Amino acid sequence: MAVARAVSDGAATLFDHVRAAGDLGILLTQIAVAGKTIARELGRAVLIGQLGTTGETNVQGEKVKKLDLWANEVLVDALTDSGRVCTLVSEELAEPVHLEHRCADGSWVVCFDPVDGSSNLDVNGIVGTIFSIRRRSREARHAMVDAVAPGTVQVAAGYVMYGPATVLVLTLGDGVDAFTLDQTIGEFLRSHARIRIPARGRIYSVNEGNATKWDPAVRRYIDYLRASDGATDRPYSARYVGSLVADFHRTLLEGGIFLYPADTTAGGKPSGKLRLQYEGAPMAFVVEQAGGRASTGRDRIMDVRPSAAHQRVPLVIGSPEDVALAEDFMAGRR
Ligand code: P6P
């Protein structure tokens, strides 16, 4: 009865939204099931000893949380069981997983971060699953060809945000929609249709603890946003969760800019911290589909062709006017 009422109220379900997408719809349904499973586990993790670390370090050089590994297994199983996936690139797996026996025509390549922002888990912070779906290239000689394709080949991308509500944000290349999990019926119901990011916002989001590591032009840009000038609607407010899904989702809905700049100091991360294939590229696809922009500070994120599956990239993403101004500062035009 509840399902019928929800649907009869015109609240489209995620299934309604993707069922015309054929194989891709099957894949997205599997990702949604994985998202529901992860949401349930996150809600009870502290009660069943699932918080904390495993004692291992992953390919990123980061401490592995118990839930990182568990969620990775949930997603690998869900994607493999779909029977539609040829190659998997996971933040938690050192190498791409190539399922040769699945790579018939029309198979898909999925890049994903099972629990992005997992450093927030032990303090009940917001985290998310980020996914980027690409069609397997016909001429792919081996997994690495597809694992390092640029963002322009994406067919679908999005994230599941585990917050007060569990929200799945998705683009299929024709706009961006958000679906909120109705726990009473276990369905993702469309809560935001055809999301458009404001042309300009009033919030900037960056880890200012890294300010001494940035290029001076980045510091000048942030100082500009913090300066008081009524005529240009400044200062901006600062918001930083330290979880890309949370900081990006706020930027998508309210406008403004998120930055994770390069660390220009000796021994730092010259390409920044965030990974292109399962953080930068999917968020860039979503934001562009919502009318926003995503760049390295110089180049369009969607065009960057990585040399490795876990390549990092500086990320400047958000409202088009804010990103354009940031690029002006970084190019020395301001
Ligand atoms: P920092 C989480 O580890 C993550 O990859 C993103 O979710 C987040 O935006 C960023 O790192 C936070 O990094 O260095 O500010 O803690």
Side-chain angles (χ1 to χ4, degrees):
M1 178 60 184
V3 177
R5 184 174 63 249
V7 174
S8 65
D9 291 349
T13 65
L14 176 65
F15 179 72
D16 294 328
H17 188 67
V18 302
R19 65 174 153 198
D23 264 9
L24 182 58
I26 294 170
L27 199 48
L28 290 164
T29 302
Q30 287 291 94
I31 290 172
V33 170
K36 293 182 212 175
T37 304
I38 294 169
R40 186 197 58 194
E41 192 77 353
L42 293 178
R44 61 183 187 171
V46 68
L47 302 174
I48 58 174
Q50 268 282 59
L51 293 182
T53 61
T54 64
E56 298 162 340
T57 301
N58 66 15
V59 66
Q60 321 290 341
E62 295 166 347
K63 288 181 182 173
V64 178
K65 297 279 190 172
K66 293 177 189 172
L67 285 167
D68 283 325
L69 282 192
W70 176 85
N72 185 62
E73 289 168 18
V74 168
L75 276 157
V76 168
D77 290 349
L79 294 170
T80 305
D81 292 350
S82 74
R84 271 40 179 206
V85 174
C86 179
T87 302
L88 298 172
V89 175
S90 168
E91 196 251 8
E92 291 301 331
L93 299 174
E95 298 300 330
V97 173
H98 194 51
L99 305 166
E100 187 60 45
H101 58 297
R102 306 271 191 180
C103 294
D105 287 349
S107 274
W108 303 98
V109 176
V110 184
C111 304
F112 61 96
D113 188 347
V115 181
D116 186 81
S118 56
S119 58
N120 294 284
L121 282 170
D122 292 1
V123 294
N124 197 36
I126 292 177
V127 296
T129 296
I130 307 174
F131 57 89
S132 167
I133 301 175
R134 297 103 186 280
R135 195 181 299 282
R136 181 185 184 232
S137 55
R138 294 270 180 270
E139 64 281 359
R141 296 181 302 285
H142 50 72
M144 274 312 287
V145 170
D146 283 330
V148 292
T152 45
V153 306
Q154 292 177 102
V155 176
Y159 52 89
V160 184
M161 179 179 177
Y162 307 108
T166 296
V167 181
L168 190 149
V169 176
L170 173 65
T171 183
L172 297 172
D174 179 25
V176 179
D177 295 275
F179 300 83
T180 297
L181 181 61
D182 181 333
Q183 306 273 5
T184 63
I185 58 175
E187 280 293 346
F188 280 103
L189 304 182
R190 187 178 8 239
S191 49
H192 303 68
R194 305 201 68 76
I195 297 172
R196 302 297 291 172
I197 190 170
R200 182 190 168 201
R202 289 281 323 285
I203 295 172
Y204 74 96
S205 185
V206 67
N207 183 342
E208 298 197 64
N210 294 329
T212 57
K213 302 175 182 176
W214 301 337
D215 182 288
V218 175
R219 282 200 293 274
R220 285 194 299 109
Y221 171 62
I222 298 301
D223 288 344
Y224 171 84
L225 297 182
R226 291 163 55 174
S228 181
D229 176 45
T232 55
D233 212 9
R234 286 179 290 141
Y236 278 35
S237 293
R239 294 285 185 279
Y240 193 73
V241 177
S243 175
L244 178 60
V245 167
D247 286 319
F248 175 80
H249 192 68
R250 180 199 57 248
T251 305
L252 179 68
L253 296 187
E254 297 188 356
I257 191 165
F258 171 89
L259 309 93
Y260 207 106
D263 172 351
T264 59
T265 57
K269 293 189 174 89
S271 297
K273 173 183 181 182
L274 302 184
R275 283 56 55 113
L276 175 64
Q277 294 301 73
Y278 38 80
E279 290 177 304
M283 294 315 202
F285 192 18
V286 170
V287 84
E288 287 194 359
Q289 284 292 316
R293 290 183 62 177
S295 88
T296 62
R298 189 184 61 242
D299 304 315
R300 180 183 178 232
I301 287 285
M302 290 279 278
D303 293 333
V304 176
R305 180 182 292 275
S307 55
H310 296 296
Q311 176 173 316
R312 299 178 191 270
V313 66
L315 183 61
V316 180
I317 189 168
S319 295
E321 292 178 16
D322 288 301
V323 173
L325 182 62
E327 289 176 338
D328 284 346
F329 273 85
M330 294 176 188
R333 293 189 287 268
R334 291 288 294 250

